[in-house]
Amino acid sequence: MGCPAVKLDTLFCVRLDLTDDCYICTKQIIMINRFLDTYGFDGLKGFFLSLFPSFKYGVAGQTLSVSAVLGFISSLLGISAFLIPVMFVAVVIETWTGIKASKKQGIPFESIRFSRCVIKVFIWVSLFFMFHSFAMDMQAHDDWVHVAGFYFFEILHVATMMYFVIEYSTSILENLAVLDGKPKETLVVAFGTMFDNFISKMKGGRK
């Protein structure tokens, strides 16, 4: 049974693809959607999937798990600083392949498309800054609760950086598939299948 529509103002009603008859009607959401529309995003859902492309392919659980594990290992080894140039390279490659893929599809390069890239990077950097700030705030105290909080947010910070690299790699794979004349999901699905097979073999080897 779907949730009832809440009619605040028919002028500001926005439908989200939750259920056939489920509506969220707020002026704030329509304003956000209008803002995102000016940059070519298909509303909040389109922006979310552009920011986290792995959700389009049902592999979000795998990417989050890998990010958490690698983030934990990187924090223990103290190599998180090396992720900064890796992230920079990922942004450059994703932008370059995206321009090439758009050109192959006959889509002209426009400044608005570059603005989309800037907005997404800004969101990610905001997340990095937030988690790092929380960690630094916890580090200013020496009781066990704050010490535990520091390690939690520090690992979360590094895991988010790793997640950034994985999500941008997903976008790069989409662009490479288009450049190769294939459906954009081809390489992502192939890598997802390889990952699932690897995990299956690991589980089988433990029995």
Side-chain angles (χ1 to χ4, degrees):
M1 181 176 180
C3 60
V6 179
K7 187 175 182 181
L8 300 180
D9 187 337
T10 55
L11 181 61
F12 294 102
C13 277
V14 180
R15 177 174 180 177
L16 300 183
D17 293 327
L18 302 176
T19 64
D20 289 340
D21 56 352
C22 188
Y23 292 83
I24 295 180
C25 309
T26 66
K27 293 182 179 180
Q28 291 79 6
I29 291 181
I30 193 64
M31 289 173 64
I32 293 173
N33 274 277
R34 285 177 176 172
F35 171 77
L36 294 174
D37 285 343
T38 60
Y39 290 95
F41 293 109
D42 186 19
L44 282 169
K45 181 179 179 180
F47 176 69
F48 179 84
L49 293 179
S50 179
L51 198 62
F52 308 110
S54 63
F55 278 80
K56 291 185 289 186
Y57 306 103
V59 294
Q62 293 94 318
T63 56
L64 287 169
S65 300
V66 171
S67 300
V69 172
L70 294 180
F72 179 73
I73 295 174
S74 298
S75 296
L76 288 180
L77 298 179
I79 59 175
S80 57
F82 290 101
L83 286 174
I84 296 176
V86 173
M87 290 191 299
F88 176 77
V89 172
V91 171
V92 172
I93 295 177
E94 194 271 343
T95 302
W96 181 76
T97 56
I99 293 173
K100 290 287 188 180
S102 296
K103 185 177 180 181
K104 186 177 181 64
Q105 293 174 309
I107 303 174
F109 176 77
E110 299 174 338
S111 59
I112 192 172
R113 299 186 68 83
F114 180 74
S115 299
R116 287 162 56 102
C117 175
V118 173
I119 291 174
K120 291 193 294 184
V121 171
F122 174 78
I123 296 296
W124 280 108
V125 171
S126 297
L127 291 175
F128 302 150
F129 177 78
M130 180 177 66
F131 295 141
H132 181 66
S133 296
F134 286 155
M136 292 300 99
D137 182 63
M138 294 291 176
Q139 194 178 32
H141 307 275
D142 56 2
D143 58 282
W144 72 269
V145 174
H146 286 88
V147 171
F150 164 74
Y151 284 111
F152 171 78
F153 284 111
E154 182 61 21
I155 293 174
L156 184 60
H157 172 228
V158 179
T160 305
M161 296 170 68
M162 193 67 68
Y163 189 50
F164 172 94
V165 174
I166 293 176
E167 290 292 2
Y168 265 75
S169 297
T170 302
S171 185
I172 291 171
L173 290 175
E174 289 181 331
N175 295 334
L176 291 176
V178 172
L179 289 173
D180 198 33
K182 300 176 181 177
K184 64 188 304 183
E185 68 274 9
T186 302
L187 295 179
V188 178
V189 172
F191 271 84
T193 301
M194 289 174 58
F195 179 81
D196 290 339
N197 291 337
F198 173 76
I199 296 299
S200 298
K201 289 181 180 179
M202 290 290 290
K203 291 180 178 179
R206 292 178 180 178
K207 295 180 180 181

